[in-house]
Amino acid sequence: MKKDVVIVGGGCIGLMSAYCLQKSGRSVTVIEKGDITNGTSFGNAGLLSAFKKAPLSAPGAITDTIKLMLKGESPASVHPTLNLHLYKWLLKFAASSTEARLRRTLALFERYGQVSLDMYQSMVEDDGIDFHFRKDGLLMIYTEQATFDAKAAHCNDPKAYEILSKEKTKEYMPILNDKVIGSILLKENGHIDPGEMMLAVKKYLEEKGVEFLLNEEVERLEFEGSKVSKIRTSKDVYEAETFILSTGADDKLARQAKNKFMMTPAKGYSLTFKMDDALKPKTTSLFADLFIAMTPRRDTVRMTSKLELGTTNPSIVKKQIDSMNKNLAQYTNDFERRDVVEWSGFRPLTPNDIPILGFDENYENLVHATGLGWLGITFAPSIGKIINDVITVDKKNETNADILLFSSFFQG
Ligand SMILES: Cc1cc2nc3c(=O)[nH]c(=O)nc-3n(C[C@H](O)[C@H](O)[C@H](O)COP(=O)(O)OP(=O)(O)OC[C@H]3O[C@@H](n4cnc5c(N)ncnc54)[C@H](O)[C@@H]3O)c2cc1C
């Protein structure tokens, strides 16, 4: 039987699209090649960091990275590759790092970040979906006086910022040593436990009748005229009114529909461990000069870092884990970590922090929802809402204001 909406990919973007479409009364099937517990949406830091936080493609990003590379502390690296697409991506990244774009991107981040925060809150409070969700700010910790002073000079709004001394910063993160300069609390941000959120939302959706086909990979799209007629998976063949591709950094299926999106996989790592409660960070914290995040969760703490381009190797490389630990150790006292779980995953990164959203330009019943880069968890609910709106209300990209503003189909 022909299905209504088939979503390929059960990461946070696929699940939030399912959540919004189900609420609109659509019948939804999610097809996921894994079991949703090991992908990028599961192992990330869980920061909800849309407010007052510069995009990756901010002016100065490249010089700052080069400075860190020279100090041996850079979280970013580019593997030598013959893949021309990556070099085009890097050129576009450099061209996007302008003041004009920065102002625009910050405004878009706040617009969609607020929608997402409100939706996460409503999921917890109104739908009774149980996951760790806190709106208690993001602590930006500085280890360089110059970057701290430069940022603090612009933090005049007491609703948005609190500037903290070294001693006050240590109250938030007791493991810090005296090399830390100070911190700035970006008060409007928050965090979740992304894995808990994914499992709880999946359970809620199943109870509402959403169908999950797990451990089933979509291998081929088939076309008839201007439509996707069916998809072939490792187990079966399905027809549907509408197909959504939310396959994260894996663009294999999008390419079958003749797309070559300006997106690249950006590998990152997380370490999740238990530590003494008294030493745990009080809120989610980001070492601004090192790109290392530490997020407190119910029973554990998660540390994340690294941004590797030019690799699709999924294995956990010990050198990268050692480098994360070495960089953190410079600014912390020794502390015991128990039951450490190492993880790596790929961000679907566009060069200008603008995602790929909306109807395909060649096939009228195919919708794309990817390219959320380092902020997929931050924006997932608002992306689900946009995808639902364009499918059920606007029915085309050109009449959906959010797609016009926040999709690389229009803002490339
Ligand atoms: C180290 C690290 C830290 C991060 N920290 C944060 C953070 O603090 N805050 C934040 O907002 N974001 C963060 N991110 C980014 C965030 O995790 C991603 O933007 C987000 O998870 C992307 O979600 P997605 O649904 O697009 O992709 P994914 O989570 O990758 O989901 C795509 C799914 O599609 C499935 N799939 C792919 N191809 C097929 C196929 N052919 N058939 C069936 N299934 C398929 C995959 O198995 C996968 O489950 C971080 C990322 C990393 C790597």
Side-chain angles (χ1 to χ4, degrees):
M1 200 181 72
K2 194 170 186 177
K3 292 181 182 295
D4 180 8
V5 182
V6 165
I7 300 178
V8 185
C12 60
I13 301 301
L15 287 197
M16 289 300 162
S17 301
Y19 172 84
C20 294
L21 284 157
Q22 188 280 327
K23 280 207 184 281
S24 286
R26 302 298 291 259
S27 164
V28 183
T29 300
V30 178
I31 307 183
E32 164 56 50
K33 71 177 174 185
D35 66 357
I36 85 156
T37 67
N38 52 0
T40 302
S41 296
F42 221 79
N44 65 79
L47 274 59
L48 306 176
S49 56
F51 296 91
K52 311 290 181 280
K53 179 85 192 49
L56 270 193
S57 56
I62 294 173
T63 30
D64 290 351
T65 306
I66 292 170
K67 276 188 216 156
L68 283 172
M69 276 177 173
L70 294 175
K71 283 173 74 185
E73 290 177 0
S74 175
S77 52
V78 183
H79 292 253
T81 168
L82 295 175
N83 179 356
L84 265 186
H85 189 67
L86 177 63
Y87 297 105
K88 284 190 197 154
W89 186 99
L90 287 167
L91 284 177
K92 177 99 195 203
F93 175 79
S96 304
S97 307
T98 63
E99 279 298 337
R101 275 207 87 104
L102 174 67
R103 284 191 56 209
R104 201 177 157 282
T105 309
L106 283 172
L108 289 170
F109 278 10
E110 299 208 355
R111 177 187 173 104
Y112 296 108
Q114 189 60 55
V115 172
S116 292
L117 272 183
D118 293 346
M119 285 178 69
Y120 277 129
Q121 183 148 2
S122 162
M123 283 175 208
V124 172
E125 290 176 3
D126 304 330
D127 294 324
I129 305 177
D130 180 27
F131 58 91
H132 181 85
F133 166 63
R134 296 284 180 278
K135 283 203 300 188
D136 52 4
L138 165 64
L139 190 72
M140 299 292 289
I141 300 175
Y142 289 83
T143 53
E144 302 280 336
Q145 190 70 52
T147 45
F148 180 59
D149 293 344
K151 179 73 186 176
H154 296 99
C155 298
N156 304 320
D157 178 359
K159 282 204 306 300
Y161 302 103
E162 186 178 350
I163 299 177
L164 302 175
S165 65
K166 183 188 297 194
E167 289 319 310
K168 200 87 187 134
T169 303
K170 284 185 185 173
E171 287 175 23
Y172 271 88
M173 199 192 272
I175 55 172
L176 292 175
N177 68 24
D178 274 332
K179 283 203 211 155
V180 164
I181 307 290
S183 64
I184 299 171
L185 184 66
L186 307 183
K187 291 177 169 180
E188 299 149 296
N189 294 296
H191 68 276
I192 58 171
D193 178 330
E196 252 184 30
M197 181 278 287
M198 296 276 296
L199 288 174
V201 170
K202 173 172 171 278
K203 181 165 169 275
Y204 170 87
L205 291 175
E206 279 174 329
E207 284 163 9
K208 296 283 175 193
V210 171
E211 179 185 30
F212 279 85
L213 304 176
L214 300 184
N215 302 306
E216 184 163 346
E217 177 166 6
V218 177
E219 292 168 344
R220 245 190 24 244
L221 306 182
E222 295 194 2
F223 306 99
E224 224 173 82
S226 61
K227 287 194 163 183
V228 176
S229 53
K230 38 179 100 94
I231 55 171
R232 279 183 193 277
T233 74
S234 46
K235 295 183 182 166
D236 215 330
V237 180
Y238 303 98
E239 294 180 38
E241 289 297 329
T242 308
F243 293 96
I244 300 174
L245 295 185
S246 53
T247 52
D250 186 339
D251 66 349
K252 186 178 68 203
L253 297 175
R255 276 189 277 120
Q256 289 181 17
K258 304 190 212 104
N259 295 289
K260 191 85 185 100
F261 294 136
M262 215 16 113
M263 178 174 81
T264 195
K267 189 174 179 185
Y269 287 80
S270 70
L271 302 176
T272 308
F273 46 82
K274 293 191 175 136
M275 63 188 281
D276 284 355
D277 277 344
L279 297 180
K280 275 168 97 170
K282 303 289 175 279
T283 185
T284 189
S285 309
L286 182 65
F287 288 81
D289 303 307
L290 301 173
F291 197 59
I292 294 178
M294 283 189 84
T295 314
R297 300 136 56 82
R298 282 196 226 259
D299 302 316
T300 54
V301 170
R302 178 168 286 171
M303 169 181 167
T304 57
S305 189
K306 297 295 171 192
L307 195 144
E308 280 182 85
L309 303 179
T311 178
T312 50
N313 173 4
S315 55
I316 292 172
V317 177
K318 188 171 176 310
K319 194 175 83 179
Q320 295 288 12
I321 301 280
D322 290 347
S323 148
M324 279 168 72
N325 286 329
K326 184 173 142 255
N327 289 342
L328 182 77
Q330 291 184 78
Y331 302 100
T332 57
N333 301 316
D334 276 349
F335 63 101
E336 191 198 359
R337 299 172 222 203
R338 299 183 297 278
D339 306 336
V340 181
V341 177
E342 298 174 351
W343 171 92
S344 74
F346 293 92
R347 305 168 185 88
L349 199 63
T350 62
N352 53 8
D353 299 288
I354 299 294
I356 299 155
L357 306 177
F359 280 101
D360 187 84
E361 291 176 332
N362 299 309
Y363 297 101
E364 60 196 55
N365 63 338
L366 182 64
V367 174
H368 300 279
T370 189
L372 275 302
W374 58 296
L375 288 170
I377 293 290
T378 301
F379 294 130
S382 58
I383 301 304
K385 183 175 179 307
I386 295 172
I387 294 300
N388 171 63
D389 289 349
V390 77
I391 292 175
T392 61
V393 183
D394 302 294
K395 300 189 170 45
K396 57 180 186 167
N397 291 343
E398 287 74 6
T399 47
N400 181 293
D402 297 309
I403 301 263
L404 293 176
L405 277 171
F406 199 40
S407 170
S408 64
F409 285 131
F410 294 92
Q411 304 290 345

